[in-house]
Amino acid sequence: MAKRKPDEPPKGAPAWQSTFADLMNLLLCFFVMLFSMSSVDAQKFELLAASFNQTFSIFSAGATAIGDGVLISNGVSQLNELDEYINSTGRDAEGDLVPENLETAAEMMEEAKLQESEEMAEKIEEALQEKNLEKEVDIEFTAQYVQLTLNGALLFDSGSVEIKEEAMPLMNQLGIILQRFSEGTIEIEGHTDNVPMSGAKYSNNDELSSGRALSVFYYLEENTTLDVGRIKHAGRGEYVPIADNSTEEGRAKNRRVEIKIYNALSSY
């Protein structure tokens, strides 16, 4: 036997709810009218303002408005004084505390980050000196990171992206250093000179620099416990030279791999 489909309940709100809502609206209008006809006791209000000033420091010296000399009315007249009042409290528009001197605070933060990078650079340099590898790596630092620069000829043959066997001791030590000191992001960048590629596996310097950065990344992935999610790699080609490409010595300096280790205070 077929089952009967239940009847749908009547649509809309019950009748009593509509009557109750009308009653509440009428009561609200009535009390708003009474409030609009009432007057403010100035003496009582001054006492209230003084109480707020002592407890919450909302008003200054028992003033009767946000801005001195502005009388309480419907509240609209005080909007012009609101920004000035907020600034006088040492807070921003969201209510957060603002340092008295933003430039000083920024300088102090920058100095702290620079000191963090400098200490990291010193520790890395000491670790390389212990293995007699300090001449193989140039160390520089900024407030954001410590940069390790490796000569491309030390790591790769011309036109190749495979790390040389003789470069493995250096790569092993770099892996240990990165595991010990890196707390933030690590960036690996490959760079080349401006000599066009010819007769090699890679058709241009962009591909070659990307392949070399990727080879270093793969080495770290396979031989360290670093979180590869924090390691970035990129090929910069010939576009960021550090020396003159018109000389052989300059081109040799431009063929390089840079590893940037961002410090713990870095905003990167």
Side-chain angles (χ1 to χ4, degrees):
M1 179 182 292
K3 294 183 178 180
R4 180 181 175 180
K5 184 177 180 179
D7 295 333
E8 294 184 0
K11 297 182 179 179
W16 70 269
Q17 287 189 1
S18 299
T19 303
F20 183 76
D22 290 340
L23 176 62
M24 293 298 102
N25 286 332
L26 289 173
L27 288 174
L28 175 64
C29 293
F30 176 72
F31 285 111
V32 168
M33 182 184 66
L34 289 179
F35 179 76
S36 65
M37 296 172 62
S38 63
S39 60
V40 177
D41 189 324
Q43 184 176 3
K44 290 183 177 179
F45 184 81
E46 289 180 0
L47 292 174
L48 175 65
S51 175
F52 269 105
N53 179 54
Q54 295 173 1
T55 307
F56 302 106
S57 297
I58 291 179
F59 298 109
S60 176
T64 58
I66 289 177
D68 290 341
V70 180
L71 298 178
I72 294 293
S73 58
N74 58 0
V76 176
S77 61
Q78 296 187 45
L79 292 179
N80 294 330
E81 305 292 334
L82 186 56
D83 288 340
E84 181 180 350
Y85 168 71
I86 290 176
N87 292 334
S88 69
T89 63
R91 297 176 180 270
D92 59 16
E94 284 71 33
D96 297 325
L97 286 174
V98 178
E100 294 182 1
N101 192 328
L102 287 177
E103 293 183 0
T104 301
E107 290 174 359
M108 292 176 61
M109 185 61 185
E110 194 72 8
E111 185 177 346
K113 292 193 292 185
L114 193 62
Q115 183 177 356
E116 182 82 6
S117 290
E118 185 176 7
E119 292 176 357
M120 188 196 307
E122 291 176 353
K123 293 177 181 178
I124 292 174
E125 189 173 13
E126 291 176 359
L128 290 172
Q129 288 175 350
E130 291 177 0
K131 302 295 182 179
N132 296 319
L133 296 171
E134 69 276 11
K135 294 182 180 179
E136 313 294 346
V137 182
D138 291 329
I139 303 176
E140 300 174 294
F141 65 89
T142 68
Q144 296 289 328
Y145 57 79
V146 175
Q147 177 175 297
L148 311 180
T149 303
L150 295 79
N151 188 280
L154 179 67
L155 299 179
F156 307 100
D157 290 325
S158 178
S160 173
V161 299
E162 294 184 8
I163 300 176
K164 292 181 179 180
E165 188 66 30
E166 53 266 36
M168 289 303 173
L170 174 59
M171 292 300 300
N172 291 336
Q173 186 60 27
L174 286 176
I176 295 172
I177 288 173
L178 292 176
Q179 289 179 121
R180 186 184 304 173
F181 300 114
S182 64
E183 298 181 14
T185 301
I186 298 173
E187 276 190 333
I188 304 169
E189 292 184 350
H191 298 265
T192 67
D193 57 27
N194 65 347
V195 177
M197 300 292 296
S198 60
K201 177 181 178 181
Y202 295 90
S203 60
N204 56 57
N205 286 320
D206 294 333
E207 293 180 2
L208 179 64
S209 61
S210 295
R212 289 180 171 179
L214 193 57
S215 292
V216 176
F217 169 80
Y218 284 151
Y219 178 87
L220 296 177
E221 181 183 28
E222 296 170 1
N223 296 278
T224 69
T225 59
L226 291 169
D227 179 8
V228 294
R230 295 190 292 107
I231 304 177
K232 296 185 176 183
H233 54 86
R236 306 299 302 276
E238 62 194 67
Y239 307 112
V240 193
I242 57 174
D244 187 359
N245 271 314
S246 63
T247 65
E248 178 56 38
E249 182 181 357
R251 289 193 293 272
K253 290 183 179 180
N254 289 331
R255 297 189 293 268
R256 68 196 190 278
V257 172
E258 294 177 350
I259 301 177
K260 296 177 180 178
I261 311 170
Y262 287 83
N263 65 52
L265 300 178
S266 172
S267 58
Y268 185 78

